[in-house]
Amino acid sequence: IFIPIFYLHHICALLNQVNKRKNIILMAYLFGIMSLACDLTPYYIPNVVPRMSFKFWPSAGPLFSVFLSVWGLIVIYGAYLIWVSYKKAYGLEKNRLRYVLIATVVGWVGGATNYPLWYGVPIPPFLNILVSAYIIIVGYAIVRYQLMDIEVIIKRTLVFASLFTIVFGIFVGIALLIHQFIGVGGNFLKFAISSLVIIFTVRPLEAFLVRITDKYLFQKKYDYKHLIKEFMDELKTMVLNMNGIAHSTVYFFMSSIRPASAAIFIYNKFTDRYDLIASSDFKDKGYKIANNSQLIRILSQTGKIIRTDSDELVSAQEQDRLKVMGTELIIPLLAQKELIGLLCLGKKKSDEDYTEDDIGTLSDLSGALSISLKNAQLFDERADAEKRALVGTIATGINHEVGNPLNIITIKLETFRILAREGMMDHKSKDEIMAEVSDITKVCLDNVQRISEITKQVSEFAKPDRKIVFDKVNIGEAIDETMAVLKHGMILPAGKIEKKFMCDPVYAVADKGQLKQILFNLIKNASHAITGEKGKIVVSVDKNDNGEIAIKVIDNGCGMPKEVRDKLFTPFFTTKDPGKGTGLGLALVKIMVDRNDGRIKVESQEGQGTTFTLVFKGGLL
């Protein structure tokens, strides 16, 4: 009865969502208690009967059917929470949640085969063994990706068990000695002497046991050079995305140095404060640091790592607040003497203090991190600037598109007004006038609708980027909407592009807004490569054998040499004259494709055109 309820509670704890989901967890427990009360009644299990090769198998009562329905909902809800967190996760955390999600699907699908026989359906529980696979997969995630602080749990259990055994032994030993030499009547003396010995020895004993377990079982001395190299390699794989870098960094520190908590704050020039953008086990997710605070001034001036428990330069109030949140080290993130952010680390989970070697290593790592974050910040600013410039170009181009329907509306209304003023309508009947008004109204409404569609398409394209929302996207619609924006911006004449659909309709799992931006950039890029009357762009869509969707943007333009092709997705690389290109268009395309779990490749030869191939997951979500 309580297996799915404990599972939900476990998932919420794993995702740090217990407080957020506490009402749902409470309702699940209440339902479990009510189910437990009905467990031995005929409403739950009326009897046992022979099923297939089993002599005794329970039958489902009406309340059991209710329980099983809620059982399924709880499991699906838990899996949904993992899926949502997995899509938002980065780096190590994404790997952890991937294994939990796989274990959930495998384990619960296997366990579900227990229940058809309850209803007389002749399906044996042959997949029940997969429940064990859940344990194996999660166990692998614990060992490989530090899914849970299993070392800390074992260490504390060993320390507590050993301490309890020693204390109990002291008490029993003293009691036996007193009983041996004093005899009956020494109970008070036994208790008093035992208590005094325990009081004076328990803390030293605990410290001794912690040192022993650290030394012989859980001491993890890391190679600083290896750690720095590993972090540098990790930074190379991170895309130029500030949130992605911050999240990956937090989980890198959590798995290597193993602090109790980690958080990264980045300066927000619009609010003039440092906002939390990534954290793990950080107690106050809404914590913000004012730019004029004493802490920020000290970090900016000294550029040194601050210990919250010993540095007197930080105000007592700031110290207390940081200590309450479990922060032990504050590491400045400086780029060209500018404090772009700070990294906060909690106490080590091993209860060891941060050494001078730790501080030196963290200083080196923070330097590399600062440069990466600053580059991501500059990249975002340049990308936004390019997008605004592009929207400006489109806005200029649509004057003609909007002007035509406006002229039609103006002419229709102005003609009717002149005819009415000159008395040309006086000889007409009421029905004839109403028919003419109806005709004018229809023409005006059609053209207003046309203007509305144009402005809507441009507005959708110009919307600022937000969190990715995966959806089932109709590829044909996405291409048509993208081509409409290109046409309104006068970037590409309609006759220059051709669509080829091998099957229709075709759906891909992606963020529709970002998919349209990807297509927009690729088609716009192709339009710059074609020249003359024979210049042509083909957009083809096909479905691969494995269900993936392949979208190709093909042009018969000038093509490109290998040295250009190899650098095509490098940020700020461009072959255009200075001032005519930022070199960000295709770099942005690559980042957006990666964020949508897709792939992109380019094939091109000089004088033979270029083909960009996009591959996305197909089918239902």
Side-chain angles (χ1 to χ4, degrees):
I1 286 173
F2 280 93
I3 286 175
I5 299 165
F6 289 153
Y7 165 77
L8 178 63
H9 197 161
H10 162 68
I11 292 302
C12 291
L14 194 65
L15 301 175
N16 294 317
Q17 294 185 17
V18 171
N19 289 332
K20 187 177 179 181
R21 314 285 177 187
K22 60 184 178 182
N23 291 334
I24 294 174
I25 295 171
L26 179 61
M27 284 191 294
Y29 274 107
L30 289 173
F31 177 78
I33 292 168
M34 288 188 291
S35 297
L36 190 64
C38 302
D39 188 23
L40 300 180
T41 69
Y43 299 106
Y44 205 81
I45 303 173
N47 57 3
V48 289
V49 294
R51 300 283 195 204
M52 299 183 71
S53 61
F54 301 96
K55 292 179 68 175
F56 304 102
W57 196 271
S59 296
L63 289 182
F64 182 82
S65 298
V66 174
F67 163 76
L68 197 59
S69 300
V70 177
W71 180 93
L73 289 173
I74 290 174
V75 172
I76 291 169
Y77 182 66
Y80 167 76
L81 293 180
I82 302 171
W83 171 256
V84 171
S85 298
Y86 169 75
K87 298 310 292 182
K88 296 177 182 177
Y90 296 88
L92 184 65
E93 181 68 2
K94 199 175 186 77
N95 285 327
R96 291 169 171 171
L97 294 180
R98 180 185 294 117
Y99 280 98
V100 176
L101 189 60
I102 292 169
T104 293
V105 174
V106 170
W108 287 106
V109 167
T113 59
N114 278 304
Y115 296 108
L117 283 180
W118 286 64
Y119 296 92
V121 179
I123 299 176
F126 60 98
L127 291 180
N128 192 49
I129 189 65
L130 293 181
V131 174
S132 300
Y134 178 96
I135 307 297
I136 294 168
I137 295 169
V138 171
Y140 175 78
I142 288 172
V143 175
R144 178 68 178 81
Y145 295 107
Q146 294 85 43
L147 176 63
M148 294 178 286
D149 299 323
I150 199 72
E151 290 181 4
V152 176
I153 293 168
I154 295 172
K155 172 186 165 182
R156 290 177 180 173
T157 303
L158 284 173
V159 170
F160 175 79
S162 303
L163 190 63
F164 177 83
T165 303
I166 293 170
V167 168
F168 184 73
I170 291 171
F171 185 86
V172 171
I174 291 173
L176 288 172
L177 286 172
I178 292 175
H179 180 76
Q180 181 72 27
F181 293 103
I182 297 177
V184 182
N187 288 337
F188 177 76
L189 187 60
K190 297 174 192 175
F191 180 78
I193 294 174
S194 300
S195 298
L196 284 171
V197 173
I198 289 168
I199 287 169
F200 287 108
T201 60
V202 69
R203 293 303 297 175
L205 272 172
E206 184 182 13
F208 171 75
L209 289 168
V210 168
R211 285 197 303 273
I212 291 297
T213 52
D214 277 343
K215 184 174 181 180
Y216 294 105
L217 294 176
F218 300 111
Q219 186 183 41
K220 188 177 181 181
K221 296 296 182 186
Y222 37 81
D223 183 337
Y224 293 102
K225 289 182 180 179
H226 176 73
L227 187 65
I228 292 171
K229 181 181 182 303
E230 190 178 347
F231 184 66
M232 295 298 187
D233 292 340
E234 182 100 356
L235 283 178
K236 289 176 186 176
T237 63
M238 298 176 193
V239 295
L240 286 174
N241 170 262
M242 186 169 287
N243 284 331
I245 292 172
H247 279 87
S248 294
T249 300
V250 164
Y251 289 112
F252 177 84
F253 280 122
M254 291 297 288
S255 62
S256 56
I257 296 176
R258 307 295 301 278
S261 63
I264 291 180
F265 293 82
I266 294 294
Y267 178 64
N268 186 332
K269 63 183 179 182
F270 299 106
T271 59
D272 195 32
R273 67 191 181 200
Y274 290 79
D275 295 335
L276 180 70
I277 67 166
S279 67
S280 179
D281 297 330
F282 194 71
K283 292 181 180 178
D284 187 356
K285 296 295 178 70
Y287 185 53
K288 303 178 190 306
I289 305 171
N291 190 31
N292 59 358
S293 69
Q294 186 179 355
L295 173 64
I296 297 302
R297 286 200 300 272
I298 293 167
L299 290 171
S300 299
Q301 291 167 6
T302 66
K304 294 180 179 178
I305 295 175
I306 291 177
R307 294 178 185 263
T308 56
D309 60 349
S310 61
D311 204 302
E312 297 177 358
L313 296 175
V314 182
S315 67
Q317 183 181 3
E318 196 77 50
Q319 272 187 342
D320 291 341
R321 192 172 180 191
L322 289 165
K323 285 178 183 177
V324 166
M325 291 183 292
T327 298
E328 178 132 335
L329 289 183
I330 306 169
I331 303 156
L333 301 176
L334 291 159
Q336 298 175 341
K337 297 184 179 180
E338 175 192 356
L339 186 69
I340 63 169
L342 49 147
L343 169 64
C344 296
L345 296 180
K347 192 173 183 177
K348 283 187 182 180
K349 290 179 178 177
S350 64
D351 295 328
E352 296 174 319
D353 292 329
Y354 286 100
T355 65
E356 289 304 315
D357 285 339
D358 291 329
I359 300 298
T361 302
L362 288 170
S363 295
D364 293 337
L365 295 179
S366 67
L369 176 61
S370 302
I371 293 170
S372 294
L373 289 170
K374 185 64 179 178
N375 286 340
Q377 196 175 51
L378 291 172
F379 183 83
D380 286 342
E381 289 173 0
R382 291 285 295 274
D384 288 341
E386 181 179 81
K387 190 170 181 179
R388 287 195 299 271
L390 189 55
V391 170
T393 302
I394 294 172
T396 302
I398 64 173
N399 283 338
H400 175 74
E401 292 283 334
V402 174
N404 276 343
L406 281 176
N407 285 337
I408 293 170
I409 292 170
T410 303
I411 290 169
K412 281 285 184 182
L413 293 174
E414 188 65 27
T415 301
F416 182 81
R417 190 175 70 86
I418 291 171
L419 290 175
R421 187 181 61 196
E422 297 296 329
M424 304 292 289
M425 296 289 182
D426 294 346
H427 66 282
K428 293 186 177 182
S429 67
K430 184 178 179 180
D431 289 341
E432 288 175 325
I433 294 172
M434 287 303 297
E436 192 158 345
V437 168
S438 177
D439 178 61
I440 293 171
T441 303
K442 184 180 182 307
V443 172
C444 289
L445 286 174
D446 288 344
N447 282 278
V448 167
Q449 181 65 29
R450 184 180 167 191
I451 293 170
S452 175
E453 286 296 322
I454 294 169
T455 55
K456 180 182 175 183
Q457 289 163 354
V458 177
S459 175
E460 283 292 322
F461 179 82
K463 277 184 180 178
D465 289 338
R466 72 244 187 292
K467 288 183 178 178
I468 292 177
V469 179
F470 284 92
D471 201 356
K472 189 177 73 169
V473 181
N474 186 312
I475 299 297
E477 289 180 2
I479 292 172
D480 287 341
E481 291 169 14
T482 303
M483 287 171 57
V485 175
L486 286 159
K487 182 185 71 175
H488 298 321
M490 294 184 175
I491 294 171
L492 185 68
K496 288 287 184 180
I497 190 164
E498 177 186 345
K499 294 186 297 179
K500 286 184 179 179
F501 286 79
M502 305 304 175
C503 48
D504 195 46
V506 178
Y507 294 93
V509 177
D511 180 286
K512 187 175 181 180
Q514 290 203 354
L515 180 58
K516 289 199 292 185
Q517 285 187 50
I518 292 166
L519 292 168
F520 184 96
N521 278 313
L522 291 180
I523 297 172
K524 177 173 72 73
N525 193 67
S527 71
H528 294 161
I530 60 174
T531 55
E533 291 295 323
K534 295 183 179 180
K536 196 82 173 176
I537 298 171
V538 177
V539 180
S540 71
V541 181
D542 199 1
K543 186 179 289 187
N544 295 338
D545 294 338
N546 58 4
E548 292 180 322
I549 305 303
I551 307 169
K552 292 187 177 184
V553 179
I554 307 163
D555 70 70
N556 60 354
C558 57
M560 64 188 85
K562 184 179 185 300
E563 56 269 21
V564 173
R565 193 169 66 245
D566 291 344
K567 298 179 182 178
L568 209 55
F569 300 113
T570 304
F572 309 114
F573 171 77
T574 180
T575 56
K576 296 178 181 177
D577 295 333
K580 293 187 177 180
T582 62
L584 285 178
L586 291 175
L588 281 170
V589 165
K590 179 70 168 64
I591 288 174
M592 285 188 284
V593 170
D594 290 340
R595 289 181 188 173
N596 283 271
D597 294 334
R599 305 190 302 276
I600 183 171
K601 71 173 183 178
V602 58
E603 299 169 272
S604 182
Q605 289 187 2
E606 282 189 277
Q608 296 184 27
T610 301
T611 299
F612 284 93
T613 303
L614 301 166
V615 179
F616 295 100
K617 294 176 184 175
L620 298 174
L621 281 168

